[in-house]
Amino acid sequence: MRKSLKLALTLVAGLTLGTASLNTAKAATWHKGTPKALRGSWIYHRKQVSQFGQITFTASKYQRQDQGMPQTKGKHLKYRYVGHGTYKIHAYIYGAKGTGYHNGWATMTIKKHNGRIQPKGDLWFHRGTL
């Protein structure tokens, strides 16, 4: 009797620990909307060539306007924190009708450092409006 009780308790303890180890934490999950750290209006200026641009993030939308380029917008945003102030943002990007801009899903990587943001392969933006 005692031997079977010990065996049953050992089996229950083993199953409990086994199922607990299967439920791992998902630290890198996608979250709806945009991170609070990126929300607001961001601009850049290049005085050498008189160039400017602006990115605006709200809770669920994205908008970008660069000088001489059609305005693009994004909706259905979700984001993931990658680490070291870097975010991946996945959105449905679309442009104004008649601009020839192709609509579709896109993922962009944005790094935030010292109060500025930098979309991957782009210039540094700082807070402000045009």
Side-chain angles (χ1 to χ4, degrees):
M1 175 84 176
R2 275 189 137 168
K3 193 173 188 180
S4 63
L5 183 62
K6 282 184 179 181
L7 182 64
L9 288 174
T10 305
L11 185 62
V12 169
L15 288 174
T16 305
L17 290 175
T19 56
S21 66
L22 292 176
N23 296 334
T24 59
K26 295 183 180 178
T29 59
W30 289 91
H31 307 281
K32 286 186 178 180
T34 57
K36 289 183 181 178
L38 298 181
R39 290 182 192 169
S41 186
W42 303 85
I43 59 172
Y44 75 87
H45 299 279
R46 290 184 67 193
K47 294 180 181 175
Q48 298 88 354
V49 291
S50 183
Q51 187 179 22
F52 60 87
Q54 179 175 358
I55 295 179
T56 304
F57 288 102
T58 63
S60 62
K61 294 182 182 176
Y62 153 86
Q63 182 175 324
R64 180 163 183 171
Q65 176 67 51
D66 291 306
Q67 181 182 8
M69 298 295 289
Q71 184 181 47
T72 58
K73 297 179 182 182
K75 59 184 177 179
H76 306 296
L77 273 71
K78 55 184 178 177
Y79 74 95
R80 181 170 89 180
Y81 182 73
V82 181
H84 301 290
T86 306
Y87 298 90
K88 283 194 180 266
I89 298 179
H90 187 73
Y92 182 78
I93 307 294
Y94 60 99
K97 288 187 179 183
T99 60
Y101 194 87
H102 297 287
N103 302 341
W105 291 96
T107 302
M108 62 182 135
T109 303
I110 297 180
K111 181 175 185 169
K112 183 173 183 196
H113 182 68
N114 288 337
R116 300 178 301 158
I117 64 169
Q118 181 185 31
K120 187 169 183 141
D122 211 337
L123 302 169
W124 283 97
F125 287 73
H126 60 278
R127 290 232 185 242
T129 58
L130 293 176

